[in-house]
């Protein structure tokens, strides 16, 4: 076992001989050493000294000790639970996990403990973690007296006995490997995640338009229908920035030809027209390549042994497959004005009947096997697409249904076909522990109230997206799919249209604030959407809060679901909090029963801050300048810092960026201080 410090607060521990293909071996982003250097110096976590391992015929088993008071978070996108202390996690990419096993769209072999460290296991394997589930034999002998003295019989008492404070084990079970690298990250939950994200290369910075409202249109739409929809939004003054096209744009989509279908006779004219109305276009695709795709023959030698839906599975771990796919996307789409992609079906739907996925035993030309490829494929694709956009000096914000380790720099948001609203909210909270972004997208709605609750959630998330691939008309006109298809609108369609419009505007007013939160993600590794435990770890009350989150530094969001009705409990951490809508002041450090009508999502603003709210625009255009109206809460505290650049290129890498600091002085006057080389995109109204 070799231990090596690789950066401030990060250590690498090599056990045996690691595999050739691992997340770190395939990384495309260098670690953000400079930003890591700015964090407070950290000591080697004590757990480093307690790591033991053994090799056996089943593979490698690694153990660490774990205090039962430790709370554990991470393991990627976890929709069914947040605090993983006392649980077993089985990390396998699976689009449809039926139970709380740890599987899902984006499992990541990284966790963080309130015991002062984070740990990454550098593998693409189906690794299993037992997080303090187990004690070695004989350890309970000393507990006999305590247990026997306990006379009460009740179910909780029965199980409580088994949860006595004691030192347990973390067991990491890695099959079929001769070795692995572990990476240890020191610090609190916030610092350890920050270090993990900076080790990954820092967080992503989407273009400003990516943070606006997204609308995925009906799968059966043709060019005329998409253009009419786009015109309708502008006519009805409904802010929308991105239009997504679904499978119907391909001449063959399961698997894909990546060629326009008869429904879109003049795609280039359409793109130009929509771009001219300040819409960005995102194309649905997956990466299984149909025989009629123009690059099929060229790609064939660089694809895996088995097909998915009669299509090739490209091995993006070979430079050849990467180049073929990237060149085609650059020339055919990105250069022609497409702003991003939605990578569907890359998340191993292997439990569906028929050939929805490739088997784990698949051999790929690079030497990877199917098991590894399942964990790697989403990330390989994201890196490839990112670099295509980077070469063109355009930023993208795109979608993907699977991701993995070291994903923080990738501007892709995860989504799902699952749909439980509470789980979708939890997804936002859990994704932030492992460098992921998650979209609680609005799809089908049971009724108008369900539409509102789900719509409110997306407006306060990292991705405000409606996925209307099954309905030709906006959901605010008709939530019932059958009636929507028949063109029948709800009686109160005007009411729902108004409420949605109001929220789209709120979203647009938050854009500079959100953009600046992402800039902080990029430079400091602090996730823009995060659990309360990041900022309030000392308050043990927040350790299990999985239905509230911080959005940026100053907003606390507590979304509601249809099932909640009009009231929910909200825990507010210490200090005062202001209701975002009406300013009511709440005392923190306790739980509140909060009442909210269906058209209101509970959102709270931290005391002593300045919220840089913008006048809403309908879409972010090339020359959009935001008028910012600073809203002061309490004393205004340290104010706020807005990040400003051209909103869409990589010129910031060459220094074309500003910091706009807004503060309030003792006389109550707003002060603005701008530093940097970029042009002005914010006008501060004082
Ligand atoms: C699903 C995807 C949906 C939609 C659909 C179209 O798998 O999650 O969002 O794109 O495919 O076939």
């Amino acid at each position: 076992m070799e231990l090596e410090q690789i950066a401030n607060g990060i250590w690498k521990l090599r056990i045996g001989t690691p595999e050739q293909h691992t997340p770190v071996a395939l990384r495309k982003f260098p670690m953000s050493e400079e930003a890591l250097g700015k964090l407070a110096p950290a000591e080697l976590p004590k757990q480093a000294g307690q790591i033991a391992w053994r090799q056996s015929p089943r593979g490698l088993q690694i153990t660490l000790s774990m205090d039962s008071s430790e709370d554990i978070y991470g393991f990627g996108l976890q929709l069914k639970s947040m605090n993983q202390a006392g649980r077993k996690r089985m990390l396998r990419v699976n689009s449809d996990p039926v139970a709380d096993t740890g599987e899902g769209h984006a499992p990541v072999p990284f966790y963080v403990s309130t015991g002062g460290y984070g740990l990454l296991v550098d593998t693409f394997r189906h690794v299993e973690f037992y997080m303090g589930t187990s004690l070695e034999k004989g350890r309970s002998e000393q507990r006999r007296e305590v247990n026997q003295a306990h006379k009460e019989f009740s179910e909780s008492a029965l199980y409580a006995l088994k949860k006595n404070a004691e030192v347990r084990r973390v067991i990491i079970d890695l099959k079929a490997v001769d070795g692995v690298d572990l990476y240890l990250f020191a610090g609190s939950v916030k610092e350890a995640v920050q270090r993990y994200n900076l080790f990954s290369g820092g967080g992503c910075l989407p273009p400003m338009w990516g943070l606006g409202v997204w609308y995925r249109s009906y799968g059966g739409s043709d060019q005329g229908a998409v253009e009419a929809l786009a015109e309708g939004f502008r006519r009805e003054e409904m802010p929308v920035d991105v239009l997504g096209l679904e499978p119907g744009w391909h001449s063959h989509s399961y698997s894909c030809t990546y060629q326009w279908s008869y429904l879109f006779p003049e795609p280039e004219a359409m793109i130009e027209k929509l771009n001219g109305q300040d819409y960005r276009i995102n194309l649905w695709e997956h990466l299984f390549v149909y025989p009629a795709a123009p690059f099929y023959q060229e790609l064939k030698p660089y694809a895996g042994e088995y097909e998915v839906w009669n299509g090739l599975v490209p091995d993006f771990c070979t430079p050849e497959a990467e180049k073929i796919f990237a060149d085609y996307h650059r020339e055919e789409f990105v250069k022609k004005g497409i702003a991003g992609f939605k990578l569907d079906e890359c998340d191993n739907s292997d439990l569906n009947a028929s050939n929805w996925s490739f088997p784990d035993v698949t051999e790929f030309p690079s030497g990877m096997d199917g098991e590894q490829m399942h964990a790697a494929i989403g990330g390989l694709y994201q890196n490839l697409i990112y670099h295509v956009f980077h070469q063109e000096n355009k930023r993208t914000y795109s979608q993907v249904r699977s991701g993995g380790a070291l994903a923080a720099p990738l501007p892709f948001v995860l989504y799902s076909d699952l749909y439980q609203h509470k789980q979708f909210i939890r997804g936002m909270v859990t994704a932030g522990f492992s460098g992921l972004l998650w979209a609680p997208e609005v799809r089908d709605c049971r009724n108008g109230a369900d539409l509102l609750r789900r719509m409110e959630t997306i407006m306060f998330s990292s991705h405000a997206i409606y996925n209307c691939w099954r309905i030709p008309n906006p959901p605010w006109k008709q939530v019932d799919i059958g009636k929507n298809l028949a063109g029948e609108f709800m009686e109160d369609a005007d009411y729902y249209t108004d409420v949605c419009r109001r929220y789209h505007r709120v979203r647009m007013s938050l854009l500079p604030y959100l953009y600046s939160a992402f800039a902080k993600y990029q430079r400091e590794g602090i996730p823009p959407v995060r659990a309360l435990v990041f900022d309030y770890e000392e308050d043990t009350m927040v350790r299990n809060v999985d239905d509230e989150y911080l959005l940026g530094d100053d907003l606390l969001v507590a979304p509601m679901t249809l099932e909640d009705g009009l009231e929910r409990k909200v825990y507010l951490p210490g200090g005062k909090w202001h209701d975002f809508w009406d300013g009511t002041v709440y005392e923190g450090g306790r739980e509140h029963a909060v009442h909210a009508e269906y058209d209101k999502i509970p959102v709270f603003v931290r005391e002593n801050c300045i919220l840089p709210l913008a006048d809403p625009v309908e879409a972010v255009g090339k020359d959009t300048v935001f008028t910012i109206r600073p809203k002061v809460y309490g004393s205004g505290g340290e104010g706020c810092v807005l990040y400003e650049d051209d909103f869409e290129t990589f010129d910031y890498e060459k220094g074309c960026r500003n910091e706009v600091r807004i503060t309030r002085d003792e006389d109550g006057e707003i002060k603005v201080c701008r530093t940097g080389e970029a042009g002005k995109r914010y006008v501060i109204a004082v």
Side-chain angles (χ1 to χ4, degrees):
M1 201 154 60
E2 300 160 43
L3 182 72
E4 180 195 349
Q5 177 155 19
I6 58 163
N8 169 20
I10 308 181
W11 289 263
K12 172 171 152 183
L13 208 96
R14 173 155 291 185
I15 298 175
T17 310
E19 293 187 289
Q20 183 193 352
H21 298 113
T22 70
V24 175
L26 299 190
R27 69 185 300 161
K28 301 269 179 162
F29 291 84
M31 137 167 102
S32 309
E33 272 181 68
E34 205 187 315
L36 280 163
K38 288 187 190 148
L39 299 180
E43 300 275 299
L44 178 68
K46 66 173 192 304
Q47 289 80 358
Q50 302 156 354
I51 297 177
W53 62 282
R54 77 173 175 225
Q55 190 84 47
S56 78
R58 64 179 286 115
L60 187 64
Q61 299 100 52
I62 300 161
T63 59
L64 281 78
S65 62
M66 174 179 155
D67 195 283
S68 57
S69 65
E70 277 176 58
D71 291 305
I72 304 287
Y73 310 100
F75 298 116
L77 175 71
Q78 294 286 331
L79 294 178
K80 296 176 196 273
S81 56
M82 177 180 80
N83 192 339
Q84 308 301 351
R87 293 179 200 273
K88 175 182 177 183
R89 295 291 87 185
M90 304 185 342
L91 301 192
R92 191 182 92 92
V93 177
N94 173 1
S95 63
D96 295 298
V98 284
D100 186 14
T101 56
E103 299 162 290
H105 298 282
V108 178
F110 168 76
Y111 69 82
V112 57
S113 159
T114 53
Y117 77 105
L119 181 85
L120 170 71
V121 180
D122 184 26
T123 185
F124 286 129
R125 296 275 163 213
H126 294 167
V127 54
E128 294 179 4
F129 291 79
Y130 297 76
M131 300 310 299
T133 52
S134 309
L135 282 176
E136 305 90 42
K137 72 176 172 193
R139 288 275 305 279
S140 292
E141 281 175 45
Q142 308 91 319
R143 302 213 64 84
R144 271 174 58 184
E145 264 175 45
V146 185
N147 287 348
Q148 273 158 9
H150 199 102
K151 297 287 181 230
E152 181 195 335
F153 182 83
S154 71
E155 264 187 53
S156 55
L158 210 62
Y159 300 128
L161 281 178
K162 296 179 185 156
K163 286 196 206 143
N164 276 322
E166 60 215 345
V167 174
R168 296 192 164 203
R169 278 266 184 256
V170 170
I171 305 167
I172 303 170
D173 183 16
L174 254 168
K175 276 149 280 207
V177 303
D178 293 328
V180 73
D181 286 331
L182 306 180
Y183 290 86
L184 273 168
F185 303 87
S188 61
V189 168
K190 187 176 191 172
E191 290 161 346
V193 172
Q194 245 183 306
R195 286 195 159 93
Y196 168 72
N197 288 339
L198 293 172
F199 172 71
S200 309
C204 65
L205 181 66
M208 183 71 92
W209 56 257
L211 301 175
V213 180
W214 288 50
Y215 188 97
R216 299 210 75 90
S217 61
Y218 178 50
S221 303
D222 60 11
Q223 189 169 328
V226 173
E227 290 176 0
L229 188 77
E231 266 162 36
F233 292 152
R234 293 291 179 258
R235 192 175 53 247
E236 297 194 4
E237 299 182 354
M238 187 62 100
V240 172
D241 265 282
V242 183
L243 290 174
L245 302 188
E246 284 289 300
W249 78 267
H250 287 267
S251 55
H252 191 286
S253 54
Y254 277 76
S255 46
C256 291
T257 57
Y258 314 93
Q259 283 182 309
W260 294 90
S261 72
Y262 68 96
L263 296 170
F264 293 84
E266 292 179 342
E268 288 172 30
M270 176 189 73
I271 297 168
E272 204 183 312
K273 182 170 174 191
L274 296 176
N275 284 173
Q277 295 168 317
D278 287 338
Y279 288 110
R280 318 286 169 147
I281 322 274
N282 175 292
L283 296 182
W284 176 101
E285 67 179 9
H286 52 66
L287 40 68
F288 307 122
V289 180
Y290 190 64
F295 51 90
Y296 179 88
Q297 288 302 340
E298 211 190 332
L299 183 73
K300 208 166 157 197
Y302 309 107
E305 227 183 343
Y306 293 96
E307 296 183 345
V308 176
W309 298 307
N310 316 108
L312 300 175
V313 183
D315 182 354
F316 290 142
C317 199
T318 65
E320 292 86 355
E322 206 181 12
K323 182 165 175 355
I324 295 165
F325 205 83
D327 285 351
Y328 187 82
H329 278 69
R330 182 185 315 102
E331 298 309 315
E332 291 305 314
F333 306 123
V334 179
K335 280 198 172 158
K336 294 182 180 169
I338 294 299
F341 298 92
K342 164 183 176 179
L343 181 72
D344 211 10
E345 317 288 11
C346 54
D347 47 2
N348 193 21
S349 311
D350 65 348
L351 302 176
N352 277 342
S354 194
N355 59 343
W356 280 67
S357 192
F358 51 88
D360 288 353
V361 298
T362 309
E363 283 183 9
F364 284 87
S366 61
M368 273 187 134
D369 64 29
E371 176 187 348
Q372 295 173 302
M373 191 55 94
H374 282 305
I377 203 161
L380 288 168
Y381 170 92
Q382 292 174 59
N383 274 292
L384 176 166
I385 294 291
Y386 174 87
H387 287 285
V388 169
F389 279 100
H390 196 270
Q391 282 163 345
E392 296 300 307
N393 197 24
K394 291 177 186 168
R395 275 181 262 163
T396 183
Y397 201 39
S398 284
Q399 294 185 268
V400 68
R401 232 172 64 178
S402 176
L406 310 183
L410 296 164
F412 285 75
V413 190
L414 294 157
Y415 67 98
S416 178
D417 268 352
L418 306 171
Y419 202 49
Q420 230 249 21
H421 195 178
K422 279 246 185 279
Q423 291 185 6
F424 269 29
I425 295 165
R426 187 181 295 119
M428 280 193 275
V429 184
T430 63
F433 289 112
S434 319
L436 302 173
L437 299 168
W438 163 252
E441 64 178 24
V442 176
R443 238 165 30 230
D444 314 337
C445 303
R446 272 188 275 161
N447 52 33
D450 192 26
L451 165 68
L452 294 187
R453 288 304 191 209
R454 288 179 180 273
M455 178 276 297
E456 293 158 6
T457 307
I458 61 168
M459 295 303 161
F460 287 86
S461 78
S462 49
H463 198 199
I465 181 164
Y466 296 89
N467 180 1
C468 301
W469 74 280
R470 297 175 72 197
I471 47 173
N473 297 293
W476 49 85
K477 305 239 187 237
Q478 179 55 268
V479 291
D480 181 286
I481 296 182
K483 290 184 182 160
N484 194 306
L485 283 161
E488 265 176 59
F489 294 165
M490 298 183 286
E491 262 175 32
D492 35 12
D494 285 348
Y495 165 75
Y496 290 107
T497 307
D498 282 347
V499 180
C500 289
R501 184 187 295 110
R502 180 153 60 77
Y503 272 90
H504 290 209
R505 289 187 176 149
V506 170
R507 175 74 181 185
M508 297 313 277
S509 74
L510 287 171
L511 248 49
Y513 169 80
L514 293 173
Y515 193 58
S516 307
F518 270 95
K520 197 161 176 174
Y521 185 34
Q522 184 181 52
R523 291 199 250 148
E524 296 173 35
I526 298 173
V529 181
R530 56 188 186 271
L532 303 189
V533 68
F534 274 85
D535 295 45
Y536 302 95
E537 184 172 337
E538 294 313 313
D539 178 353
T540 50
M541 291 297 289
V542 306
R543 299 260 182 108
N544 291 307
V545 175
D546 62 356
D547 58 357
E548 301 172 24
Y549 51 86
L550 299 164
L551 183 65
D553 285 342
D554 298 320
L555 294 180
L556 184 153
V557 187
M560 291 177 68
T561 64
L562 183 65
E563 293 71 26
D564 289 329
L566 298 180
E567 197 169 295
R568 65 157 286 173
K569 296 215 167 79
V570 178
Y571 181 79
L572 294 173
K576 284 199 173 69
W577 294 85
H578 301 247
D579 183 300
F580 178 74
W581 308 106
D582 65 17
T584 308
V585 178
Y586 289 80
E587 249 345 292
R590 69 180 189 87
E591 196 170 71
H592 295 266
V594 172
H595 176 94
E597 295 297 322
Y598 285 115
D599 64 356
K600 199 178 137 200
I601 176 174
V603 177
F604 303 87
V605 188
R606 204 170 53 77
E607 167 86 337
N608 300 335
C609 74
I610 296 183
L611 263 193
L613 296 176
D615 286 354
V617 293
E618 271 179 46
V620 182
K622 264 213 130 352
D623 308 309
T624 299
V625 171
F626 287 95
T627 301
I628 309 283
R629 298 184 194 279
K631 193 159 177 193
V632 179
Y633 290 86
S635 69
E638 291 173 6
C640 64
V641 178
L642 282 174
Y643 171 75
E644 183 179 49
D645 61 11
D646 64 19
F647 297 162
E648 60 179 359
T649 76
F650 287 93
D651 289 355
Y652 66 79
E653 289 175 348
K654 297 178 220 133
C656 288
R657 54 170 194 242
N658 304 329
E659 260 191 25
V660 185
R661 184 173 288 275
I662 307 177
T663 46
R664 192 171 88 147
D665 69 13
E666 281 158 16
D667 305 327
E669 241 178 84
I670 295 289
K671 297 272 171 239
V672 180
C673 171
R674 179 182 264 107
T675 49
E677 305 286 316
K680 282 190 191 175
R681 304 297 294 266
Y682 304 131
V683 171
I684 318 295
V686 285

